């Protein structure tokens, strides 16, 4: 068998609440460049549980995904997403809205998709052109499974990356800060530091990840006042 697998665990540490969540992920990468992540998330302070399976191609562009949400053991919704050069589609059922079928016309595959586990957030960096001299690049056309920063709605197919001041946007900027050595509970790693600049107010989300496989090492998201840290990694 030619595929490779790695596994990890991330802890969510709030500035005020302490440990407020955790996430386990397993990634399988195949010889054709496709890779699939399976993520299980528990958010302790809200009771949210998220199950995600998400596949990208060799260019880190989305192929398909499944998202299921519960909150305090109550079903919120589940949905299946598929992406082509011509359209994105979603079949979902939510407790609030019932059955929803969506199809969005596209001019090519989206640069990335956000099903909301932080291990998947790091994969947005696959849309950054490392061969370019531009250290800040605008990524437009990313799709999400929820417009909320914590992903706690739906799931539905959304063009909104972030909603601030009542204004929705489907684009954000990625800044490549550079290589940095980072020590977390899982060990010391030679990472690449990126920064997501979200909306006109440039609310930062700092990402430290392993190059190549884009494995999360550390994330700092000021919107949620939370640091996300890798505590286990098995390769």
């Amino acid at each position: 068998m030619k595929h490779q697998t790695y596994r990890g665990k991330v802890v969510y540490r709030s500035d005020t609440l302490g440990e407020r969540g955790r996430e386990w992920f397993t990634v399988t990468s195949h010889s054709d460049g496709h890779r699939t992540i399976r993520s299980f998330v528990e958010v302790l302070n809200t009771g949210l549980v998220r199950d995600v399976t998400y596949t990208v191609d060799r260019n880190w562009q989305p192929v398909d995904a499944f998202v299921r949400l519960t909150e305090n053991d109550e079903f919120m919704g589940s949905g299946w997403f598929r992406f082509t050069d011509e359209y994105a589609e979603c079949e979902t059922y939510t407790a609030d809205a019932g059955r929803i079928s969506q199809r969005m016309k596209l001019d090519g595959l989206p640069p990335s998709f956000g099903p909301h586990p932080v291990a998947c957030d790091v994969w947005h960096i696959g849309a950054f052109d490392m061969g370019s001299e531009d250290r800040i690049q605008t990524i437009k056309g990313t799709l999400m499974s929820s417009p909320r920063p914590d992903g706690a709605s739906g799931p539905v197919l959304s063009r909104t990356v972030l909603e601030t001041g009542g204004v929705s946007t489907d684009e954000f900027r990625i800044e490549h800060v550079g290589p940095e050595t980072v020590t977390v509970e899982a060990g010391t790693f030679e990472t690449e530091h990126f920064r997501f600049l979200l909306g006109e107010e440039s609310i930062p989300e700092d990402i430290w990840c392993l190059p190549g496989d884009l494995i999360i090492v550390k994330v700092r998201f000021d919107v949620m006042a939370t640091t996300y840290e890798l505590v286990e990694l098995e390769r």
Side-chain angles (χ1 to χ4, degrees), residues 9-11 13 19 182-189 217-218 228-233:
K9 179 184 177 182
V10 176
V11 167
R13 294 192 172 100
E19 182 177 336
V182 174
T183 298
V184 293
E185 189 173 330
T188 298
F189 301 93
V217 174
K218 183 179 176 181
Y228 307 81
E229 181 179 309
L230 184 69
V231 297
E232 298 175 9
L233 181 63

Side-chain angles (χ1 to χ4, degrees), residues 125-147:
I125 293 169
F128 190 91
D129 182 3
M130 293 295 290
S132 171
E133 295 182 356
D134 297 330
R135 297 184 65 84
I136 299 179
Q137 300 176 18
T138 298
I139 310 301
K140 185 175 178 61
T142 288
L143 299 177
M144 307 292 288
S145 66
S146 166

